[in-house]
Amino acid sequence: HDHQGSAVSLYFFQAPALTVTTRRLAFMALTAEGPELELREVRPDGSTGDARRVRLYEQGLVQAHSPAFSPDGESLVFVGINSKGWQNLYVLGEKRRIRKLTRGASSWRNPSWTREGILVSSDRVPGTDLYGIFMVDPVRGSARLLARPDLRHDNLLEPAAIRPSREVFFRSTNGTGQQIHRRAQGGIPR
């Protein structure tokens, strides 16, 4: 809430809706008109600068969530849903315009931007509707499967990388519980 007479009330979307770097913060919000992305500079004293809002509803989105900054803090990826119900990854570009990164009938969750690309969970795994872990090229939008679900682990979710290594951690579900996994260069230790 901006606490200004002429301001529009903001309501957070679904979690996670916030991302930060050492010098910027961004969050998704819902206004009466539709979804917006708010960006603020973080000053050395910890205070934040004026809000810069990107009206995602003016660019065809009806919902957005899970923002993640690039390693250099200059770009931002997020999950957006258009009026047809299609869910894709989008990148915030110059002049506050968004660019659709992925295409097709897939569901995307929890992007995490690394130097190698964008880690994300998706149901795009061939032969199943379960979630696997993918690395998406931030320029071309091509997705490479890193880890696929199996009989013991239904969905693979919430990928995160330890920088600067190439180790990827993620959560799996199996109907009765959850586990944390680590993938280093090759297979997935269970």
Side-chain angles (χ1 to χ4, degrees):
H1 216 54
D2 281 347
H3 302 292
Q4 297 174 8
S6 62
V8 175
S9 294
L10 300 177
Y11 300 93
F12 281 106
F13 264 128
Q14 50 190 287
L18 173 73
T19 186
V20 295
T21 68
T22 56
R23 61 184 198 276
R24 299 175 94 187
L25 90 95
F27 64 87
M28 298 296 182
L30 178 61
T31 67
E33 290 84 14
E36 293 186 1
L37 171 64
E38 184 167 308
L39 300 158
R40 291 180 184 252
E41 297 298 319
V42 177
R43 298 180 182 128
D45 66 2
S47 65
T48 59
D50 294 335
R52 291 178 296 144
R53 293 207 179 117
V54 179
R55 292 176 175 88
L56 300 174
Y57 58 87
E58 291 179 350
Q59 298 183 52
L61 296 182
V62 297
Q63 191 174 29
H65 61 88
S66 303
F69 279 110
S70 61
D72 65 5
E74 297 299 319
S75 299
L76 188 87
V77 65
F78 63 92
V79 178
I81 302 172
N82 67 18
S83 61
K84 295 179 182 176
W86 291 85
Q87 189 179 108
N88 282 287
L89 293 177
Y90 291 83
V91 173
L92 180 65
E94 295 179 24
K95 299 181 183 177
R96 295 190 224 167
R97 296 297 303 170
I98 60 173
R99 173 177 57 91
K100 187 188 294 186
L101 187 59
T102 57
R103 309 219 181 267
S106 297
S107 181
W108 302 92
R109 290 181 172 183
N110 308 103
S112 174
W113 205 325
T114 71
R115 284 186 277 189
E116 290 79 26
I118 299 166
L119 281 169
V120 65
S121 300
S122 179
D123 64 353
R124 194 178 205 167
V125 180
T128 180
D129 60 354
L130 299 174
Y131 283 79
I133 305 297
F134 289 82
M135 181 69 75
V136 176
D137 182 297
V139 176
R140 295 186 302 266
S142 57
R144 180 172 49 95
L145 182 63
L146 295 181
R148 79 181 287 118
D150 59 30
L151 294 176
R152 296 180 311 162
H153 304 94
D154 295 342
N155 287 302
L156 309 181
L157 306 166
E158 299 170 2
I162 293 181
R163 296 176 186 140
S165 74
R166 293 184 175 199
E167 290 184 314
V168 175
F169 290 83
F170 58 91
R171 176 175 63 94
S172 72
T173 62
N174 66 5
T176 61
Q178 300 182 31
Q179 294 182 359
I180 302 296
H181 302 275
R182 184 188 91 196
R183 178 188 187 274
Q185 295 293 353
I188 303 167
R190 300 283 184 195

